[in-house]
Amino acid sequence: MKKILQYLYRIQIVNIIEITENTRKIVTDKSHYILKKVDSLNKENIYIRLSLSKVPYFNLPLKSVRDRYVEEIDREYYILSYYYKDESMALEELRMSFYLKAIAMLHQNTLYPLKVNDGYFAESLHYIETRILSVREEIDARMFNVERSEYHSPSDWYYLSCYRIFNNALNEAQKYLDSLNEEFEKLHSVELSLTYQNYQLDHILLKEEKIVSLEKVAFSPPVYDLVDFVEKNYHSSVDISRILSAYTDIHPLYPYQKYWLLALLFIPKINKETEDIRDIESLFLSLNYLEVTEKIRANLLNQTESA
């Protein structure tokens, strides 16, 4: 691999350090790089489109001597990117805001309308409907077991007080799913864009104004980047319902996108833990997630009224 990399990228390698099974740090006489495995050569078109977007905040892979972003080495596919040192985890809110602005620009600059048939809409709706039904069955089954039990643990008592909130949230998810269905009946196309789909705070480098780790970039509905962001940050001390305006100020959402987002966010995130104290903590986080979702809804509705 060393000789092939030296030829493809005209670099003089001093050392190759394995970080994970799919990631290696490449140390050269002049700089450091990250070599990452990707799933297929099809990523080449994604990176070409990302380059054409002219959004400067994403750490694009380097091109090889063959003018390719993705290279095949030993029957596997790799990208080579500049390596940036990890920054302090401080300035969390600034990093989040920078990220939201960057993906808003990415979505805005790579949009294209996709003409779709009824099957696409049906599949999208079915995915959300299945998730709603699955969680409803889960909360009902636990409620049934708690009510039948002669002994109630502290987490059981806490769950009894949470059940109505979870059930109401699922009703809200269903309501927005129905609204999305009505919007889909009026549409002949949906907007897709390049999406990042790999949010982690340590991927956001404020000093360099770069976002790294692009191996999951793909074309999909933009709302999935927002869902990913919320699900990974709802427990943060930062008011993410407020800073989402960093995204919507650049790339406002259409009504059908708001319904799509809210239908997904109102599905409770519930994880049953075996230890009682951890189960109580998990339920508390589930309630916190729904509180954040309520705030996001309020802000989205305010934007609609002021538009």
Side-chain angles (χ1 to χ4, degrees), residues 126-191:
H126 178 71
Y127 168 73
I128 302 174
E129 179 71 28
T130 300
R131 287 189 58 187
I132 292 173
L133 290 174
S134 174
V135 176
R136 193 177 295 281
E137 289 175 0
E138 180 184 343
I139 68 169
D140 286 347
R142 181 168 181 181
M143 188 65 172
F144 178 76
N145 291 333
V146 169
E147 289 179 332
R148 288 186 61 193
S149 175
E150 293 183 2
Y151 167 76
H152 290 160
S153 67
S155 64
D156 287 340
W157 286 112
Y158 191 35
Y159 182 78
L160 286 171
S161 68
C162 294
Y163 174 78
R164 179 181 56 84
I165 298 172
F166 294 152
N167 192 56
N168 289 342
L170 288 171
N171 291 339
E172 291 300 302
Q174 185 64 53
K175 181 182 77 174
Y176 286 112
L177 179 61
D178 293 340
S179 297
L180 178 60
N181 187 24
E182 292 175 5
E183 287 294 313
F184 276 173
E185 289 177 356
K186 305 173 189 175
L187 298 173
H188 300 290
S189 65
V190 294
E191 286 190 343

